[in-house]
Amino acid sequence: MSQIVDIPVARPFKEESFSFVLNGRAVSVVDQGKSLLDVLREDLQILSPKDGCQPMGQCGCCTILIDGKPRLSCTIKASTVANKQVTTLEGLSGPQREQISECFAQSGAVQCGFCIPGIAIRAHALCEKNPAPTHDQINTELRAHLCRCTGYTKIVEAIDLLAKVRRGEPMPENGCKGGVGDRLPKYVGRESALGDKKFIDDISVPGMVFAAPRLSDHPRALVKRIDPAPALALPGVIRVVTAKDVPGDRVVGLITQDWPIFIAEGEETRYVGDMLAFVVAADEHTARRAAELIAIDYEVREPVTTPEDALKPDAPRVHAKGNLLSKSALSRGDVEGRLAVSAHVIENTWQTQCIEHMFLEPEACIASPLFENGAVSGNGSPVSAVRVLTQGQGIFDDRRQIAKILGWPIERVQAELVSNGGAFGGKEDMSIQAQTALCAVLVGKPVKCVLTREQSLRVHPKRHPVRIHLKVGCDADGRLTAVRARILGDKGAYASVGAKVLERAAGHAIGPYKCDTIDIEALAVYTNNPPNGAMRGFGANQAAYAIEGALDMLAEKIGIDGWEIRWRNILRQGDRFCTGQRLTKPFGLEETLLAVRDAYRAEKFAGIACGIKNVGIGNGLPEIGRASFTVEPDGHITLRTGHTEMGQGLFTVAIQTAVQETGLPHEVFHATCDTDDPNDAGQTTGSRGTVLTCHAVIDACKKLAADLASVGMNGESPESARKKLQSLAGRKYLGGWECYKTDKFGADVPDPKTHLTYGFATQVCILDDTGRIKKFIAAHDVGKAMNPTLLEGQLQGSIHMGLGYALTEEMVYEKGRLVTDDVKSCGVLRAHQMPELELIIVETPDPECPYGARGVAEIGLVPTAPAVAGALAKFEGFHRTTLPMKDSPAAKAMLGPRSN
């Protein structure tokens, strides 16, 4: 069948202009039918409003003020503001801007920062209207906004502080020196709060043109012909790029090489996010319109959309090698024999759902061709190199894969991180970087590509839906005797890191509990659904939902409570974890359980769950930290890391480590991540960024120390320190650290060491008499709180994500097509839907980690869903085994009339 999308011809606009007042200045704009957001950003270079979901109007990132009232600029035609006053953060007075930036930075309200400018301008309007808003009023005012990072607690605190400062109360003194353990405000947090920190879509390069993808119309179809002629006929189109134009290897992948950057004629599509072509045009609107004009001739075929169907002998093959990507297995002892003599046995199946990352910044990339002698304009000469601005979680992996696609030596590709607006694992795989770089090389011009939210939802990998069947036994006292687990994960169309996710689920299948007799098998299976890959928790949270539910069922059989059965079974120093590793170092799981015991037992409807999450990839893969210092001519030090800053605060704790080790003021350090230094440390994944990077920073500091002594550095002010550092200008100091070699998953060795360290937690969910969550308590062993403010924000954000996972979030597909196709339908919780959170920080240092700190980015949501399920079991009288628990009283209370 030949499919040509019928695009209505746009009505030609007369050259008429309209005027409005922008930030106190009259402006005149030609009416081209654009949204107000596009006019502000493209025509007037007002960049604080961000495009998170245009034209959906569901994330709040584009909020501005019209005649003093907050409005979503992506839903408004620009011409509707004629003769009105439009105010953005750029138009506030200097003191007002300073108040906002300080309140948000000091409160820890900024993580990735993409959503914050929209929230900040609304906060300004709220304080103008209501000088003393309550927390409930602030939460209500934030209903139009999403934040995926913070869990909203610190945003509410920031707005409360802003109101106090506006009323004349003094700004609290921070006074920290910036060392380890201090509450140093997040690096560039002040700039982020005002929208001054640039994301990729905020960056313009001279001579830049724009690209847009054409995605597959079907999850499974033979592509018979791709006809670019209708697109090329559109004025402003420069080129259409397809598989035929790829000079190198078209197939990429972080672990398994199975993901083509373009589907070629004669090949079969595997999901609705497959890319068939890129259009390069003079402007973004033309590129997107032209991409839809490309005529594709398909032979549509029936997709396979469940792992159960995909494993059938007669199932269509998603990949030629078959539909089973991986099998991960662990076995110790005689499981069936131990189950046969166990006092109690439960057997059940748990099902988790697919989840969207919902990072607020959609995928974006800029690639600039370089010519001989570093020129940015070739004047017809061949391209000698390309520089890519990427938001990826592993820029060195991006670089390698781009070079492979171009057929170039890696040295011809430069990559630079532009810290992204959230990732959570969803930006480990490349999305559009390779295609954008290829377009730049082919047209000889800088190319920008930004996905729409709808495209983003289709393209990037999600959280794996997993089915877990458990058979678990215990003795009369409730101590585990044997566990049999069968785990089946929907891999989707491409491998991504799915084999490792299912391996991780298998390795965490018995949670933080002691059980020496196990039989575990986990399968990752290809389907024609969108790929599933890395997402915060990485298989551990799916496994936790099942094993924690099994413990609750066993506790009922024995007649003890949820706290007691966990106390009797938790791992203690010297015990063997599920993977076989003996936990020989101190850890504080016992302390987290003790910290919540009284609160749990004091409540009628309370659920409890424990969690464990590996820190580092481990399982035989290298764990490397890299960092470097470059002393600049002005006396600043550029700190380059091998890992990605994506809102979690990596740059901040790296600077704090440098301050701790050198005694230099934190103001002298700038942080970045690029390929200019040999800092390849792999993906920012596995909660390992802080541990590996800070180890590397410590090593670099040792090399810097002698030179600091030579210039007489001793407790200097920032200005004095920079003056003395100028004498060291141009010097570099490379730091590195490598973990001991870990053992592969399932290795047949007596005492395997599968991971560097682990995070530990116990969480309690408390319901009121109506079934609403009234409080959520989280006790975490973090090893060392490197920065308490950032740590709290990470945990609060994790719990927010975990509550959505438990109750409201789900990506729904029908025959491989997205049903959940906008922001709102993904079910991410808003500020007014969040319960009270209480954090309890336990610090049991790990002697092999910098200052004892463990990674905390993922452990925060591992026990969350089972804790909620346990509370609901108390309230309802039965155990839920399927996520999300949308029809539960807790979910209905969150999503009911009060939450609209």
Side-chain angles (χ1 to χ4, degrees):
M1 66 181 245
S2 181
Q3 176 160 335
I4 301 177
V5 178
D6 185 18
I7 305 293
V9 177
R11 175 180 63 85
F13 286 91
K14 297 179 181 179
E15 291 296 320
E16 296 179 352
S17 63
F18 61 93
S19 299
F20 63 99
V21 177
L22 174 62
N23 295 329
R25 179 175 60 91
V27 296
S28 182
V29 178
V30 175
D31 185 6
Q32 296 178 311
K34 291 183 178 181
S35 71
L36 178 57
L37 177 63
D38 284 344
V39 166
L40 290 173
R41 290 180 57 82
E42 296 172 8
D43 301 342
L44 300 172
Q45 292 300 298
I46 298 294
L47 300 177
S48 66
K50 308 299 180 187
D51 183 356
C53 69
Q54 184 171 213
M56 298 174 185
Q58 296 174 357
C59 73
C61 296
C62 66
T63 300
I64 47 88
L65 304 183
I66 300 177
D67 291 340
K69 296 181 180 179
R71 293 290 184 266
L72 301 176
S73 61
C74 81
T75 65
I76 300 170
K77 288 292 184 186
S79 58
T80 63
V81 300
N83 303 316
K84 296 182 180 180
Q85 294 196 32
V86 174
T87 305
T88 69
L89 287 171
E90 288 89 341
L92 301 185
S93 70
Q96 289 172 330
R97 287 169 57 81
E98 184 177 355
Q99 289 168 349
I100 288 171
S101 65
E102 284 299 318
C103 289
F104 275 77
Q106 288 203 29
S107 298
V110 180
Q111 288 191 29
C112 84
F114 194 82
C115 68
I116 296 302
I119 291 172
I121 194 67
R122 187 178 292 272
H124 165 76
L126 172 62
C127 292
E128 292 286 292
K129 178 180 67 174
N130 180 359
T134 65
H135 279 205
D136 283 345
Q137 289 171 330
I138 295 170
N139 280 319
T140 299
E141 193 69 18
L142 292 174
R143 292 158 83 99
H145 295 268
L146 275 185
C147 176
R148 193 54 152 164
C149 295
T150 66
Y152 304 104
T153 300
K154 292 194 179 298
I155 291 175
V156 173
E157 292 172 355
I159 298 173
D160 180 68
L161 178 59
L162 178 63
K164 290 176 180 176
V165 171
R166 291 277 177 92
R167 295 197 304 267
E169 296 186 26
M171 181 74 70
E173 292 290 333
N174 184 283
C176 77
K177 294 182 178 180
V180 169
D182 284 347
R183 292 182 178 269
L184 181 67
K186 188 176 185 294
Y187 180 69
V188 300
R190 295 174 177 87
E191 296 90 332
S192 298
L194 295 172
D196 293 341
K197 182 265 178 192
K198 288 191 175 183
F199 296 91
I200 287 179
D201 197 24
D202 299 328
I203 297 171
S204 293
V205 177
M208 185 172 72
V209 294
F210 297 82
R214 173 62 186 272
L215 304 182
S216 174
D217 299 283
H218 306 283
R220 181 171 177 250
L222 177 68
V223 178
K224 299 173 72 175
R225 184 166 179 263
I226 300 172
D227 181 6
L232 290 168
L234 193 66
V237 172
I238 300 169
R239 182 159 182 168
V240 175
V241 179
T242 66
K244 297 175 182 177
D245 298 301
V246 179
D249 190 338
R250 189 164 42 93
V251 181
V252 298
L254 289 174
I255 300 173
T256 301
Q257 309 289 300
D258 66 353
W259 198 333
I261 68 164
F262 289 118
I263 300 296
E265 291 178 339
E267 294 180 347
E268 196 172 83
T269 66
R270 296 183 178 91
Y271 84 117
V272 293
D274 269 328
M275 296 188 185
L276 307 184
F278 257 48
V279 173
V280 184
D283 64 84
E284 185 175 69
H285 301 279
T286 299
R288 288 176 174 174
R289 178 174 164 75
E292 295 307 313
L293 290 174
I294 298 171
I296 315 293
D297 189 2
Y298 295 101
E299 178 186 298
V300 179
R301 297 173 175 177
E302 188 69 20
V304 57
T305 57
T306 70
E308 293 85 357
D309 285 344
L311 289 175
K312 292 177 180 177
D314 59 347
R317 291 194 168 200
V318 180
H319 291 271
K321 63 184 179 182
N323 292 340
L324 179 62
L325 170 65
S326 66
K327 176 180 176 180
S328 304
L330 290 170
S331 181
R332 289 198 298 271
D334 178 8
V335 168
E336 292 305 320
R338 291 286 284 160
L339 287 172
V341 297
S342 296
H344 303 282
V345 176
I346 67 98
E347 186 170 9
N348 216 320
T349 301
W350 284 261
Q351 178 69 53
T352 71
Q353 78 280 38
C354 181
I355 289 285
E356 160 63 21
H357 298 79
M358 196 46 68
F359 37 75
L360 270 294
E361 181 201 18
E363 292 85 346
C365 179
I366 295 175
S368 298
L370 302 176
F371 302 90
E372 294 298 331
N373 301 318
V376 296
S377 177
N379 296 319
S381 61
V383 175
S384 63
V386 66
R387 188 165 185 88
V388 181
L389 301 184
T390 175
Q391 49 174 221
Q393 290 183 231
I395 68 166
F396 289 89
D397 282 333
D398 291 353
R399 181 194 197 194
R400 272 191 293 272
Q401 293 179 94
I402 291 168
K404 177 185 174 188
I405 287 154
L406 294 174
W408 286 2
I410 197 170
E411 294 77 17
R412 291 178 65 185
V413 178
Q414 303 169 16
E416 179 181 348
L417 171 72
V418 178
S419 295
N420 60 48
F424 314 109
K427 292 175 180 172
E428 288 191 17
D429 298 275
M430 284 200 307
S431 55
I432 55 175
Q433 294 96 320
Q435 296 90 338
T436 307
L438 174 62
C439 289
V441 171
L442 292 175
V443 304
K445 294 176 179 288
V447 176
K448 176 192 283 188
C449 181
V450 181
L451 295 188
T452 66
R453 177 59 62 181
E454 187 268 341
Q455 290 170 338
S456 175
L457 290 172
R458 287 169 64 177
V459 167
H460 68 255
K462 312 288 186 280
R463 186 191 298 285
H464 288 74
V466 173
R467 190 190 71 195
I468 303 177
H469 185 85
L470 291 183
K471 190 172 184 180
V472 184
C474 69
D475 63 19
D477 293 326
R479 291 180 172 82
L480 295 178
T481 54
V483 175
R484 184 179 187 273
R486 292 295 179 265
I487 305 171
L488 183 64
D490 183 348
K491 178 73 257 20
Y494 297 107
S496 180
V497 292
K500 288 296 177 183
V501 173
L502 270 296
E503 180 182 276
R504 198 75 74 246
H508 287 66
I510 64 173
Y513 303 110
K514 182 180 179 180
C515 184
D516 291 329
T517 307
I518 59 173
D519 176 15
I520 300 166
E521 179 182 280
L523 307 179
V525 182
Y526 287 118
T527 68
N528 289 121
N529 292 322
N532 295 301
M535 188 174 178
R536 195 180 219 167
F538 205 89
N541 46 335
Q542 290 98 320
Y545 182 57
I547 191 63
E548 297 292 324
L551 258 66
D552 285 340
M553 293 176 184
L554 288 171
E556 284 186 2
K557 283 180 172 285
I558 300 160
I560 59 177
D561 69 13
W563 189 93
E564 186 61 37
I565 195 168
R566 287 166 174 83
W567 182 255
R568 295 179 187 184
N569 284 286
I570 57 168
L571 293 165
R572 292 173 168 88
Q573 192 170 351
D575 287 340
R576 189 187 299 274
F577 177 51
C578 183
T579 64
Q581 179 171 3
R582 290 198 181 276
L583 304 185
T584 57
K585 298 179 290 184
F587 59 95
L589 182 57
E590 279 191 355
E591 288 84 346
T592 67
L593 254 178
L594 290 169
V596 303
R597 178 183 57 191
D598 293 345
Y600 168 75
R601 287 181 167 167
E603 297 289 342
K604 183 178 180 182
F605 304 122
I608 188 170
C610 295
I612 185 171
K613 175 65 178 68
N614 59 288
V615 175
I617 300 174
N619 286 337
L621 294 177
E623 303 279 14
I624 301 169
R626 293 280 185 265
S628 63
F629 297 137
T630 302
V631 183
E632 306 295 349
D634 67 355
H636 280 97
I637 296 176
T638 297
L639 192 169
R640 288 183 169 86
T641 69
H643 288 119
T644 294
E645 168 63 58
M646 49 191 173
Q648 82 279 40
L650 178 68
F651 285 171
T652 310
V653 296
I655 289 171
Q656 289 182 263
T657 300
V659 170
Q660 186 73 26
E661 296 297 313
T662 65
L664 290 170
H666 64 85
E667 293 91 343
V668 308
F669 292 97
H670 294 162
T672 189
C673 176
D674 58 36
T675 56
D676 291 353
D677 280 350
N679 286 332
D680 187 358
Q683 289 284 324
T684 308
T685 187
S687 303
R688 66 183 186 162
T690 293
V691 173
L692 299 184
T693 296
C694 292
H695 264 314
V697 171
I698 291 169
D699 186 54
C701 288
K702 292 175 182 176
K703 298 170 182 177
L704 173 63
D707 283 351
L708 291 180
S710 72
V711 297
M713 198 71 69
N714 184 20
E716 312 292 329
S717 68
E719 294 77 13
S720 175
R722 285 196 294 270
K723 187 174 180 179
K724 289 186 175 182
L725 284 166
Q726 288 175 11
S727 63
L728 303 177
R731 297 193 188 183
K732 285 183 178 289
Y733 307 87
L734 303 181
W737 184 85
E738 188 165 354
C739 177
Y740 51 77
K741 188 179 185 303
T742 56
D743 293 302
K744 291 183 178 180
F745 182 87
D748 186 16
V749 296
D751 282 304
K753 290 185 177 180
T754 55
H755 294 95
L756 168 61
T757 189
Y758 299 85
F760 300 90
T762 304
Q763 296 181 349
V764 170
C765 177
I766 300 169
L767 307 183
D768 66 16
D769 290 339
T770 69
R772 177 187 293 270
I773 299 178
K774 70 175 183 179
K775 189 173 185 179
F776 198 92
I777 305 170
H780 284 253
D781 174 20
V782 304
K784 169 66 178 177
M786 299 280 285
N787 183 316
T789 299
L790 301 188
L791 168 68
E792 292 157 2
Q794 281 287 290
L795 292 178
Q796 289 160 349
S798 294
I799 294 165
H800 164 260
M801 193 176 284
L803 290 173
Y805 183 50
L807 296 169
T808 61
E809 294 188 42
E810 184 176 18
M811 287 295 287
V812 179
Y813 306 114
E814 185 175 331
K815 294 187 175 180
R817 299 179 185 275
L818 273 72
V819 175
T820 312
D821 59 359
D822 63 9
V823 171
K824 187 175 181 180
S825 62
C826 290
V828 179
L829 294 172
R830 310 261 170 168
H832 64 288
Q833 296 168 325
M834 284 293 291
E836 176 189 353
L837 303 183
E838 179 186 347
L839 300 181
I840 301 170
I841 304 302
V842 173
E843 294 181 281
T844 306
D846 185 305
E848 293 180 320
C849 295
Y851 314 107
R854 309 173 189 274
V856 300
E858 298 174 276
I859 182 63
L861 58 64
V862 170
T864 309
V868 175
L872 284 167
K874 295 271 191 72
F875 185 86
E876 297 178 295
F878 66 92
H879 294 275
R880 292 179 175 268
T881 57
T882 301
L883 294 180
M885 299 177 282
K886 279 186 178 179
D887 63 342
S888 70
K892 289 177 179 178
M894 283 181 170
L895 301 175
R898 288 170 54 189
S899 298
N900 288 342

